[in-house]
Amino acid sequence: MKKFAGPFVLTFAVLLFIFLSHSMILNFKHLMGKGLGFEIYLELFFYFSLVLTPLTLPLSVLLASLMAFGGLGEHGELNAIKSAGISLPRILMPISLIIISITVAAFFFNDQIAPWANLKTYNLLYDVRHKKPTLEFKPNTFYYDLPRYRIKVENKSGPGNEVLEGIMIYDHTQKKGNSQLIMAKHGTMKITGNFLELILESGNIYAEKPDQQLNTSEYFCQNFETANFRFSLDSYGFKETQEELFKYNNNTKTTRKLIAEKDSISMANQSYSANLKDSILPIFVSKEKREDSHKQIAFQQLGKAKINSQVRLNKLNEFVEIDKKQVQLLNNYKIDIYKKFTKSVAVFVMFLIGAPLGAIIKKGGLGLPVLISIIFFVIFYISTIIGEKYAKEMILSPETGCWLGNVILLGFGLFFLRQAKRDARLFDTDFYLVVFSNFWEKGKIVLSSLSKWHKITKKGKSAT
């Protein structure tokens, strides 16, 4: 257990850091240039770490198991334990109990903590993405992030780049295009409370005033020596969105809530089906009316029957579409419920692969175990993604699609456990060299026998 605990903690920390870095890189464009405080980044790191834990845990168990039992095999400790009459399953028993405990804890984490972390992550990322970048005027480039204003400066200087030169401001507050232009040679910029204040010098205001009666426009220019302009910065603040907006996502719900919602949708769908079945029952023309000899009445009844049939056919088609959507919705609920179990069981399945495989390869450290871990993690990840995709498309049942990855790896685990009990030499190069040598020798014998048989046959034909 000591051999396993150290590598497990180390690999979990390293893998979580790698996955966390990858997630932050994917969201890099939403984070930079927005003046986020240090506490916002810490909050993001914390929530991302909780969200990525279910993905990191199975791979950490696989790699730690490979390293622990590979190290024991490399230093001959497994052979020493086996020589005392203790079998490999008995050797695996103590860590198996720990892995079972981790599996149960993983399910509790996936069911209770992960939904809360997903809700917090969605909420915080939404706020970050909708926060505007920090106020920064780039020389000779129009700045578009102030609502209804377009600002360009030719140069900036001073200790905090507060001195501006060649200022041009387009005012779009009237929503009539470029109807007002403000230009100034010099100016200074400062933040006052929740406002940007520009103190401009030696400038002009060019404006256009349309005349509705004459259908023309008047243009005028106003000079100023000094003028102050204030712009609201309310849109640059960090606004916290209500979490209720994201609670519809199944990733933010516990297993109990998912099951309750699934049952409610199923009952509502059954009730709707029963009511619709009663409403689309065909109404046939009564026997007395069919026996009426008047053709006009008969044609009227046929017309009404045709209209009624068309109405019921439209209702039936509508029901088919609604039922299809409801079945798809129920299918998605089942997938999300099974995923909470499959992610947890994957922890034990990965151990069932890593421990026997480590005993077979007898290599510790971070070399071969890392390579093997990546291979099996890719197999698990791809098979899980494919299974869930086919389950969502209803090609496979939710049970089959969600458990596909675990079943495939379970087969590998049982195979490696059987080979480890037999002390198989699956990764021993000498073993394969001996097998190849034996095969080569047998091949030479077979070729020699065929050559002799060919010569004898040839002599027989010549004699004939």
Side-chain angles (χ1 to χ4, degrees), residues 210-412:
D211 191 331
Q212 301 291 341
Q213 296 180 352
L214 300 177
N215 197 22
T216 59
S217 298
E218 296 181 1
Y219 300 89
F220 66 90
C221 173
Q222 179 182 355
N223 301 325
F224 62 84
E225 293 295 328
T226 304
N228 291 5
F229 297 90
R230 302 185 75 187
F231 307 90
S232 175
L233 299 179
D234 289 338
S235 60
Y236 286 79
F238 190 81
K239 300 177 182 179
E240 294 187 4
T241 310
Q242 295 295 325
E243 292 181 354
E244 284 73 15
L245 297 176
F246 305 96
K247 287 187 176 180
Y248 66 89
N249 195 312
N250 284 353
N251 290 333
T252 64
K253 301 173 185 176
T254 62
T255 304
R256 180 177 296 181
K257 189 172 183 180
L258 288 172
I259 293 175
E261 291 184 3
K262 179 183 72 69
D263 293 341
S264 299
I265 294 173
S266 180
M267 292 175 62
N269 194 32
Q270 291 175 3
S271 176
Y272 176 77
S273 301
N275 294 334
L276 189 65
K277 183 179 179 181
D278 295 336
S279 66
I280 63 174
L281 287 175
I283 301 176
F284 297 100
V285 180
S286 62
K287 183 178 180 182
E288 291 78 8
K289 291 183 178 180
R290 287 201 304 268
E291 292 176 350
D292 198 323
S293 59
H294 297 287
K295 294 183 178 180
Q296 184 177 2
I297 297 177
F299 283 128
Q300 290 177 354
Q301 296 299 328
L302 287 174
K304 290 181 179 179
K306 182 179 179 181
I307 294 173
N308 290 333
S309 299
Q310 187 63 43
V311 170
R312 282 157 180 77
L313 180 61
N314 293 337
K315 286 186 177 181
L316 183 61
N317 291 331
E318 181 182 355
F319 165 72
V320 170
E321 291 297 323
I322 294 176
D323 184 68
K324 184 178 179 181
K325 293 180 180 178
Q326 293 295 95
V327 170
Q328 181 69 58
L329 183 61
L330 289 173
N331 191 67
N332 292 338
Y333 268 95
K334 291 179 182 179
I335 292 172
D336 291 325
I337 292 171
Y338 285 125
K339 282 168 63 176
K340 293 184 180 293
F341 291 92
T342 56
K343 289 180 180 179
S344 306
V345 174
V347 174
F348 186 80
V349 174
M350 289 295 188
F351 169 75
L352 198 60
I353 291 177
L357 197 54
I360 294 173
I361 64 175
K362 298 179 181 179
K363 292 288 183 181
L366 292 172
L368 187 59
V370 171
L371 178 61
I372 295 176
S373 298
I374 292 174
I375 292 173
F376 281 103
F377 181 76
V378 170
I379 294 173
F380 173 74
Y381 185 78
I382 292 176
S383 58
T384 301
I385 294 297
I386 292 176
E388 291 179 3
K389 179 178 181 294
Y390 286 160
K392 289 179 179 178
E393 295 175 357
M394 291 190 288
I395 298 174
L396 296 176
S397 66
E399 297 86 354
T400 304
C402 292
W403 288 98
L404 181 63
N406 280 323
V407 170
I408 292 175
L409 290 192
L410 181 62
F412 279 107

Side-chain angles (χ1 to χ4, degrees), residues 10 19 31 37 58 76 90-91 117 119 137 141 157-158 188-189 222 232 246 248 266 319 354 364-365 397 409 424 464:
L10 176 63
F19 288 136
L31 304 176
R90 179 65 184 84
I91 297 172
L119 178 62
F137 297 144
T141 302
S157 60
T188 57
M189 174 182 66
Q222 179 182 355
S232 175
F246 305 96
Y248 66 89
S266 180
F319 165 72
S397 66
L409 290 192
T464 303

Side-chain angles (χ1 to χ4, degrees), residues 15-48:
L15 291 172
L16 184 61
F17 176 76
I18 293 173
F19 288 136
L20 182 60
S21 302
H22 177 258
S23 298
M24 297 304 292
I25 290 173
L26 290 178
N27 292 278
F28 182 79
K29 62 181 179 181
H30 304 298
L31 304 176
M32 301 308 296
K34 296 192 175 182
L36 299 176
F38 184 67
E39 66 280 359
I40 299 296
Y41 284 106
L42 284 180
E43 196 173 356
L44 277 174
F45 290 153
F46 176 69
Y47 292 143
F48 269 127

Side-chain angles (χ1 to χ4, degrees), residues 37-109:
F38 184 67
E39 66 280 359
I40 299 296
Y41 284 106
L42 284 180
E43 196 173 356
L44 277 174
F45 290 153
F46 176 69
Y47 292 143
F48 269 127
S49 299
L50 294 179
V51 171
L52 293 171
T53 294
L55 179 64
T56 308
L57 202 56
L59 184 57
S60 302
V61 170
L62 174 61
L63 185 54
S65 303
L66 277 166
M67 293 173 62
F69 284 89
L72 289 172
E74 187 177 13
H75 297 94
E77 293 173 279
L78 281 180
N79 293 333
I81 298 174
K82 291 178 182 178
S83 65
I86 301 175
S87 63
L88 181 63
R90 179 65 184 84
I91 297 172
L92 299 178
M93 187 62 67
I95 301 184
S96 298
L97 297 177
I98 295 178
I99 298 299
I100 291 174
S101 302
I102 295 176
T103 302
V104 174
F107 174 76
F108 174 79
F109 189 96

